[in-house]
């Protein structure tokens, strides 16, 4: 198939790097009166060594994701004393002593918490060779930095601009920003819905590819009162009725706000909320990425192989869900 020439426009590509090498926390600069609490941010992805991570601790400690130890019920304790009788004969007097038996039963309730397992969404297939989407607006966080090949990690041929062009996409608009989430913002940064609204105002009329959720899962785990349903609805409202392909988040980190159980919980609720909605599809990147060595040492950002695979995955998912 003849490849169309692409007009790729990078709308924004800002990366937030804070506290490099110091281990110190940066203060959240959200405006006073913001009811969305604790802000956690991600730094720029790197291909060797951990990405910089800045965490603003919540005012209250986040709930532990560890599985509680199961307590076995105690055996019922029963105390039985044999009735004793003592008879003394002296002259004509008889004395009898009786002891009362008391039984006590103790009941213990056992509670077990199970870490959620990821739901599985249909994997993109190669049945469709092209997509009906002629224009794509890609909105993402720092896990999407480098997908366009602009930083040299991927070649032009490996970039998402090229993989989308190969399936019929003519224009790709990217708005990628480190630390981005659906609700919270860093200084001089727009969140996901605001970036989408700006694209629509500028005349965008195509299909959305949403690469958000990594920081949202972490913010929710840190104590934000904006839940998954609220965040998902904000994105759908900003989509302005245009087709949406939401790519699940993926982390393999074992601890902290970005720990895998928090990401899995986000993905599971996201899939449930979007299931059956018209012109909205979910592509389960996590089901594939979490099974491969595609992460840098922080367990959050993709390495070169991960970026390359993700660029191909996005194109496959788009043509599978929105075929020509």
């Amino acid at each position: 198939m003849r490849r169309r020439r692409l007009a790729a426009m990078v709308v924004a590509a800002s990366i937030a790097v804070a506290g490099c090498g110091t281990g110190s926390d940066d203060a959240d600069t959200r405006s006073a009166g913001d009811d969305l609490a604790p802000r956690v941010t991600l730094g720029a992805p790197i291909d060797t060594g951990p990405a910089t991570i800045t965490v603003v601790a919540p005012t209250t400690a986040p709930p532990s994701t560890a599985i509680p130890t199961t307590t076995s019920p105690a055996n019922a304790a029963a105390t039985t004393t044999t009735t004793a009788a003592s008879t003394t004969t002296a002259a004509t007097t008889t004395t009898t002593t009786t002891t009362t038996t008391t039984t006590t039963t103790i009941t213990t309730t056992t509670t077990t918490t199970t870490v959620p397992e990821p739901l599985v969404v249909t994997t993109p297939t190669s049945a469709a060779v092209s997509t009906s989407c002629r224009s794509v607006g890609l909105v993402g966080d720092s896990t999407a930095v480098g997908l366009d090949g602009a930083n040299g990690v991927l070649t032009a041929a490996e970039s998402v601009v090229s993989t989308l062009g190969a399936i019929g996409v003519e224009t790709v608009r990217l708005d990628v920003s480190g630390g981005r989430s659906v609700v919270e913002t860093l200084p001089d940064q727009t969140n996901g819905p605001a970036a989408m609204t700006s694209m629509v105002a500028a005349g965008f009329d195509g299909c959305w590819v949403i690469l958000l959720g990594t920081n949202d899962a972490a913010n929710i785990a840190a104590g934000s009162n904006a839940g998954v349903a609220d965040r998902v609805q904000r994105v759908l409202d900003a989509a302005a009725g245009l087709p949406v392909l939401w790519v699940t988040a993926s982390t393999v980190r074992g601890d902290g706000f970005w720990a895998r159980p928090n990401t899995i919980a986000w993905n599971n609720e996201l899939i449930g909320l979007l299931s059956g909605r018209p012109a909205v599809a979910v592509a389960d990147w996590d089901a594939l990425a979490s099974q491969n060595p595609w992460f840098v040492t922080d367990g959050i950002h993709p390495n070169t192989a991960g970026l390359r695979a993700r660029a191909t995955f996005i194109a496959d998912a788009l043509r599978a869900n929105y075929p020509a």
Side-chain angles (χ1 to χ4, degrees):
M1 179 181 73
R2 179 174 63 88
R3 178 175 298 180
R4 295 175 171 80
R5 184 176 181 182
L6 304 179
M9 177 166 56
V10 179
V11 178
S14 58
I15 303 300
V17 181
C20 256
T22 66
S24 62
D25 293 341
D26 281 2
D28 184 1
T29 58
R30 288 169 298 156
S31 59
D34 190 344
D35 64 344
L36 301 168
R39 170 67 205 174
V40 288
T41 64
L42 280 178
I46 54 176
D47 203 43
T48 57
T52 300
I53 300 175
T54 297
V55 177
V56 176
T59 53
T60 57
S64 172
T65 56
I67 302 176
T69 303
T70 302
T71 304
S72 301
N75 293 328
T79 303
T80 304
T81 303
T82 305
T83 302
S86 173
T87 304
T88 303
T89 304
T92 59
T93 302
T94 300
T95 302
T96 302
T97 302
T98 302
T99 301
T100 302
T101 300
T102 302
T103 301
T104 303
T105 301
I106 300 174
T107 302
T108 302
T109 302
T110 301
T111 302
T112 302
T113 301
T114 304
V115 174
E117 289 299 323
L119 299 177
V120 178
V121 182
T122 304
T123 302
T125 66
S126 58
V129 296
S130 61
T131 179
S132 58
C133 300
R134 290 294 171 259
S135 179
V136 166
L138 188 153
V139 178
D141 53 33
S142 64
T143 67
V145 172
L147 276 175
D148 59 352
N151 62 1
V153 175
L154 298 184
T155 66
E158 294 170 334
S159 73
V160 73
V161 177
S162 181
T163 60
L164 290 174
I167 63 168
V169 177
E170 298 170 354
T171 304
V172 179
R173 301 180 182 221
L174 299 104
D175 193 325
V176 173
S177 181
R180 171 176 280 160
S181 75
V182 172
V183 175
E184 298 83 3
T185 60
L186 292 171
D188 301 319
Q189 180 195 57
T190 57
N191 60 26
M196 296 168 71
T197 299
S198 294
M199 279 197 195
V200 172
F204 175 72
D205 184 21
C207 299
W208 296 107
V209 173
I210 305 301
L211 303 181
L212 298 173
T214 301
N215 294 317
D216 294 278
N219 284 330
I220 291 171
S224 172
N225 59 9
V228 181
D230 180 13
R231 292 167 187 265
V232 169
Q233 191 57 53
R234 292 187 191 211
V235 170
L236 296 182
D237 290 344
L242 299 173
V244 173
L245 176 69
W246 201 316
V247 179
T248 60
S250 186
T251 63
V252 293
R253 190 179 180 93
D255 60 1
F257 296 132
W258 289 276
R260 179 156 179 75
N262 297 333
T263 303
I264 290 174
W266 162 271
N267 287 340
N268 285 349
E269 192 165 348
L270 173 76
I271 292 168
L273 289 167
L274 297 183
S275 178
R277 288 180 180 257
V280 178
V282 178
D284 200 355
W285 164 247
D286 180 62
L288 178 63
S290 62
Q291 304 304 310
N292 290 278
W294 290 345
F295 295 85
V296 297
T297 55
D298 67 4
I300 302 169
H301 296 92
N303 57 21
T304 300
L307 281 174
R308 187 181 299 116
R310 202 178 194 194
T312 299
F313 178 87
I314 291 169
D316 288 344
L318 196 67
R319 63 189 170 93
N321 287 283
Y322 299 106

